[in-house]
Each structure stands twice: as C-alpha cells, then as structure tokens.
Amino acid sequence: MTSETNRATPAETRADITRLSARGYTQLRQVLVQLPDTEDPRASTLARMLSERKHRPLLLYIMLLTCWPWLEDRREPLPGGFWVRALTAPGAPTWSPSTLSRSWRDLEELGLITKPEKREGRLMRPTPRREDGAVVEGGGIPYDAPGGRRDRWNTYFALPDEFWTEEIFAKLSLPALVMLLLVAKETQSKPEVWLTYDRIEDWYGIKQKSAQNGLTELRKADLLHRRIEEVKTTFSATGSTVHMWYSLTGPFGREARLALQDRAAKERKKRLKRATRAKNTPPKEQP
C-alpha cells in the first residue's frame, strides 16, 4: 500500500506543472476578456462564464492552457485524478470525478475545448480551442500559442505562476477572478485602467454589481490598487467628477509581469542559439 508521504500533494503537482511550462506565466489572449472593437457587442467568454456561474470550468480552462506548452507533445493523456489534484486547495471549489467531467463538458459547449470521439483506454485527451470560443465549421478555432503576434486576435496578457503556486486561484470568488483577469488584460500595455461601473457592462458584458464585488474583494486581498483622480467638469453639481484608476499589485503588477515576459524571451533566444549552434557543429570524429 502506498503511504501518504509517497503521494504527490496538490501543491507539489502545481509546482511541477509550472516548472515544466518554464515561462513563469500563462499566456491568455485578450479576446478571453473582450472582443476587438470591430465586433458588436464586445462581451466575450469571461462575461458568459460569469453570468452562467462557470467557476470550475474557468479554472480548468486556465489550468489546461498553463499545461499546454508541455502537454501538447505528451505521449499519453493525463488521468482525471491529476486535474482534480492540481485544482484542489483550501477555499477552492471542490472537485470530484463528476464535477471534472461536467466541467470538461461545459468547456466543450463553450467552444473552448475539443474532446476526441474515442478515449485512449480510459483516458480522455482534451484539446484547447481559442479563448473567445469562436465557432467555425467543425468546431472551435484550434488553439495555438499567441507568441509575439500583435494583431487584435492574438494579443495576450500574462498570468503569473503565483496564481497557482500561491493558491490565489483558491482565494478568489468568481467575480473577483473575472475582475483580476480583466484588469490584467487592460494593464498589459499601460500601468493602470480607468473603469466606471455604469459603463462596464457595455465594455465587457459584466454586470455592475459583479464588477463592484470583484474589485472590492481584490482590494481586500491586497491584489488591487485604486487611485482616485478628481477631474474638472463643467456640467456636474460640484464642478468636478471622480475617476477610479485600477492596477494590480505584487507579482501581478504590470512591471512584474513585463519582467517575466522579458526573462522568458531572453531564455527562448538562448535556447534557439544553442540549438542553432548544435545543428551547425559537425560531429566529432570517432577514433
């Protein structure tokens, strides 16, 4: 019989997941949060998952994308127990084989994964689809890493590995998780974002109350900074109005995320240089 000390813990599982992914962060396309301004309405996957209360499926999908850099080429699919263990932590939604199966089914209905028609033994190998869940003939748009592409359908934001290793995923309600991703998206290219409750539904499809609750929770968790700016305006009763500017803190702050991306880019260049040098170096003569 295997003792408890010989079994990988959830924390150890998440540590290995992020180690194998090697970037230090997960790449999430901005279309997860909001469609490009050519589309009307602009609400995307995140708003739908919030309104339909798909907390578990959202966490599972982010975990799948975190694993994908190494999982894509893995010879064998992962067992269900792996996903249950990886997503288990104090305070997180509880997981079981049935909730895992239901979450995979929800993701398939949302156009975020494709499940093969046949299992490999008793195992199932889900394949992610693009973050907006767009549907084309035959299913969702196949997923590929956004990389350095800068068009509006491939621009991405970084979600640091601390989301998993520090169990942030387990500490946030669904509205707080949604607002964390929203602010991360909006501060990928600028230090802070101005948000107004009365327009947030038009911009992102997120109800005012949910946005307010999520932002309040993030501030209480010391994950969010709010800057209040008084702006002069002629048509208000007081002659001024207030703008609320938001930015993430700690490892989720913009500067920290950019540093992670810069480090990952440098490591990638080193790997490519080593691979090129090895390819162009003739093998040593055998005696």
Side-chain angles (χ1 to χ4, degrees), residues 20-224:
L20 289 171
S21 297
R23 288 195 191 105
Y25 61 92
T26 303
Q27 294 181 348
L28 297 172
R29 281 179 174 82
Q30 295 188 3
V31 294
L32 174 71
V33 178
Q34 186 183 47
L35 298 176
D37 56 15
T38 55
E39 298 292 323
D40 186 23
R42 299 186 64 188
S44 189
T45 303
L46 207 57
R48 182 178 175 187
M49 296 183 98
L50 177 59
S51 66
E52 297 180 6
R53 301 180 181 180
K54 304 296 186 184
H55 195 175
R56 287 187 184 88
L58 178 56
L59 290 173
L60 181 59
Y61 182 64
I62 297 173
M63 176 60 80
L64 176 61
L65 295 188
T66 300
C67 295
W68 200 243
W70 54 268
L71 182 58
E72 181 179 14
D73 297 323
R74 181 180 166 86
R75 183 173 299 177
E76 297 179 354
L78 293 167
F82 165 86
W83 299 104
V84 169
R85 186 170 64 254
L87 291 163
T88 295
T94 56
W95 289 87
S96 66
S98 62
T99 56
L100 178 67
S101 178
R102 187 160 58 247
S103 295
W104 286 129
R105 186 166 62 250
D106 287 341
L107 291 176
E108 186 177 28
E109 292 173 356
L110 288 162
L112 295 174
I113 68 163
T114 297
K115 293 195 299 185
E117 293 182 3
K118 294 183 179 180
R119 289 177 174 263
E120 299 179 34
R122 298 182 62 183
L123 304 179
M124 186 264 294
R125 187 190 298 269
T127 302
R129 290 293 179 254
R130 201 174 69 183
E131 292 91 330
D132 58 329
V135 176
V136 295
E137 185 177 355
I141 294 176
Y143 177 85
D144 60 344
R149 291 174 287 177
R150 298 185 180 275
D151 64 276
R152 289 177 297 177
W153 291 99
N154 288 293
T155 304
Y156 72 89
F157 62 96
L159 183 67
D161 285 349
E162 282 84 353
F163 179 74
W164 301 115
T165 58
E166 299 299 321
E167 297 185 356
I168 302 300
F169 78 97
K171 300 172 183 177
L172 300 179
S173 66
L174 180 56
L177 172 57
V178 165
M179 296 310 296
L180 175 78
L181 297 174
L182 188 156
V183 177
K185 176 259 186 189
E186 291 294 352
T187 57
Q188 182 65 30
S189 59
K190 53 191 176 186
E192 54 186 1
V193 57
W194 171 45
L195 295 175
T196 64
Y197 292 134
D198 58 342
R199 296 188 62 185
I200 203 164
E201 188 167 1
D202 293 334
W203 291 342
Y204 307 100
I206 295 170
K207 298 292 185 183
Q208 176 179 333
K209 187 65 175 177
S210 294
Q212 187 174 9
N213 290 342
L215 292 172
T216 299
E217 185 178 331
L218 290 176
R219 289 184 65 209
K220 288 181 178 179
D222 293 326
L223 293 171
L224 185 74

Side-chain angles (χ1 to χ4, degrees), residues 217-249:
E217 185 178 331
L218 290 176
R219 289 184 65 209
K220 288 181 178 179
D222 293 326
L223 293 171
L224 185 74
H225 173 73
R226 184 182 71 181
R227 180 174 69 86
I228 301 175
E229 178 188 25
E230 188 175 12
V231 180
K232 184 187 296 186
T233 178
T234 307
F235 300 102
S236 74
T238 61
S240 67
T241 187
V242 171
H243 286 186
M244 301 290 191
W245 294 86
Y246 296 93
S247 58
L248 298 176
T249 62

